[in-house]
Amino acid sequence: MRRTKALLAATGFMAIAVAAPLALAAANKTPTLKLTNTNVGMILTSKGDTMFAFTKDKHGKDKCQSISGCIATWKPLYTKGTPKAGPGVNASLIGTTKLKNGKKQVTYKKHPLYIYTFGPKGTSYVGVSMYGGDWDALNSAGKLVK
């Protein structure tokens, strides 16, 4: 039993040690926004993740970063370069905003973009209320999809 617990602990540590650099590498790449047909309509995605907008954000500024626990739940879509537009995505609506930590977050029609970190990919969390606002998807025009 003791050997099993030690093996599980070591395996968990190794998974974290391997996953951390991979997560960091993914955060530093330049994302491509795509339109994906879902049960709530055509919405923005990146690498299969639904892109969420927080209704508490105003004028392209990320308010989530100032709310305890928010960034851990709703990860900003980071970029190092200029984000790309896939088919059907209006490249002129893509931008970035600088966060307190110095990183750049992708925006779409001035909505900072987020990924829900604790659930499956998809639309299960579209329209959910959390951290004092709603988390909606976005369509190609940059309008909220609830």
Side-chain angles (χ1 to χ4, degrees):
M1 182 65 123
R2 186 180 287 175
R3 199 179 273 173
T4 302
K5 286 182 181 178
L7 180 59
L8 287 173
T11 305
F13 175 75
M14 297 237 343
I16 291 169
V18 170
L22 292 176
L24 183 59
N28 291 333
K29 290 188 178 179
T30 303
T32 299
L33 296 179
K34 299 180 179 181
L35 276 181
T36 302
N37 191 15
T38 70
N39 62 324
V40 295
M42 295 292 283
I43 60 170
L44 292 177
T45 62
S46 182
K47 291 189 177 180
D49 288 310
T50 297
M51 295 293 96
F52 288 91
F54 186 33
T55 58
K56 206 165 178 166
D57 290 340
K58 301 289 181 227
H59 309 292
K61 301 293 181 196
D62 178 321
K63 298 292 184 187
C64 181
Q65 66 183 328
S66 301
I67 301 170
S68 179
C70 190
I71 292 273
T73 305
W74 300 93
K75 183 180 93 178
L77 179 63
Y78 294 114
T79 187
K80 273 203 162 184
T82 303
K84 299 176 178 104
V89 175
N90 187 337
S92 69
L93 297 180
I94 299 174
T96 61
T97 188
K98 193 171 183 180
L99 299 176
K100 291 183 207 177
N101 64 9
K103 293 181 180 181
K104 290 192 312 184
Q105 181 179 11
V106 179
T107 62
Y108 195 76
K109 197 174 179 186
K110 300 209 185 238
H111 294 284
L113 300 179
Y114 304 86
I115 300 164
Y116 184 68
T117 59
F118 294 119
K121 292 183 179 191
T123 58
S124 300
Y125 295 90
V126 172
V128 73
S129 292
M130 240 185 225
Y131 299 104
D134 293 335
W135 295 87
D136 299 322
L138 292 167
N139 66 20
S140 63
K143 297 200 185 250
L144 298 176
V145 177
K146 300 175 184 265

